[in-house]
């Protein structure tokens, strides 16, 4: 049976509808950072997902080729995740006001056998198979990052993405009840909402996230998408919402 990260790490991928605390360990991700409305047809977000899925399935399906990363084992490709950064006007404290002002890091977890050397080799494989992605891969749009999130509070949101603010409010209340503080970087999307005061630099953010397994200095609003919006009705979508926390 293929290894399934969601099954093996239920505390990370299957939280309850009531918020809980979790200590998130170091993980390896393929990541793309960008800015813009995630719903824009043909936009930067869609391009990021194309890169992420092309890479992730190339890793998994290397089992059928003449080369596999050292230590390869068969596994289920983990779900799409997103770190979100709200630019000026993006988040008004109750809802997303301007989705074009959103910045994001889209990620898919990779097994630890995806080392930097393996990452480079797989990128070459993807570029050869999908020439349309070769330029983006050569320019470094796709990065391999490894970091831990450390202490966090999380909750399962069930329903449309646009209904998340109520769930985030409940998560924020839980954090306060535990005498903790939401530890989201200045300019990131917070439950209270505020104006970004720092420019979003995709390359610099990815470099900062790649903390060699440590908790990076930038911590952000995090979502894990367990449902496919193309195949699941909005009211049945399941999204893990996770906020980093610290002591007061």
């Amino acid at each position: 049976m293929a290894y399934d990260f969601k099954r093996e790490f239920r505390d990370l991928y299957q939280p309850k509808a009531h918020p809980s605390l979790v200590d998130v360990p170091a993980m390896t991700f393929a990541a793309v950072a960008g800015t813009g409305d995630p719903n824009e047809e043909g936009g930067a977000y869609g391009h990021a997902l194309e890169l992420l899925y092309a890479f992730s399935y190339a890793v998994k399906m290397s089992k059928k080729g003449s080369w596999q990363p050292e230590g390869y084992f068969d596994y289920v490709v983990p779900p799409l995740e997103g770190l979100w950064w709200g630019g000026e006007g993006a988040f008004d404290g109750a809802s997303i006001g301007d989705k074009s002002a959103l910045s994001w890091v889209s990620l898919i977890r990779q097994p630890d056998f995806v080392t930097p050397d393996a990452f480079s080799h797989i990128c070459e494989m993807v570029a050869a198979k999908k020439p349309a992605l070769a330029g983006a891969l050569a320019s470094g749009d796709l990065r391999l990052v490894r970091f831990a999130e450390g202490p966090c509070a999380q909750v399962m949101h069930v329903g449309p993405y646009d209904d998340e603010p109520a769930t985030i409010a409940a998560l924020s209340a839980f954090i306060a009840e535990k005498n903790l503080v939401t530890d989201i970087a200045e300019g990131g999307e917070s439950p209270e909402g505020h104006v970004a005061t720092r420019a979003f630099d995709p390359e610099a953010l990815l470099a900062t996230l790649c903390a060699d397994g440590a908790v990076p200095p930038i911590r952000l609003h995090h979502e894990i998408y367990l449902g496919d919006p193309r195949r699941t009705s909005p009211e049945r979508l399941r999204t893990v919402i996770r906020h980093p926390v610290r002591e007061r």
Side-chain angles (χ1 to χ4, degrees), residues 194-228:
H194 54 78
V195 174
T197 57
R198 297 179 182 174
F200 177 84
D201 182 334
E203 185 175 350
L205 182 55
L206 288 178
T208 301
L209 281 178
C210 192
D212 195 26
V215 177
I218 290 180
R219 306 175 79 199
L220 295 168
H221 172 95
H222 188 170
E223 300 185 0
I224 304 174
Y225 307 104
L226 302 178
D228 185 340

Side-chain angles (χ1 to χ4, degrees), residues 102-124:
L102 290 173
S103 294
W104 34 263
V105 180
S106 291
L107 318 100
I108 294 180
R109 184 178 182 177
Q110 305 297 318
D112 286 344
F113 60 68
V114 182
T115 62
D117 286 345
F119 175 80
S120 297
H121 189 86
I122 296 160
C123 284
E124 292 173 0

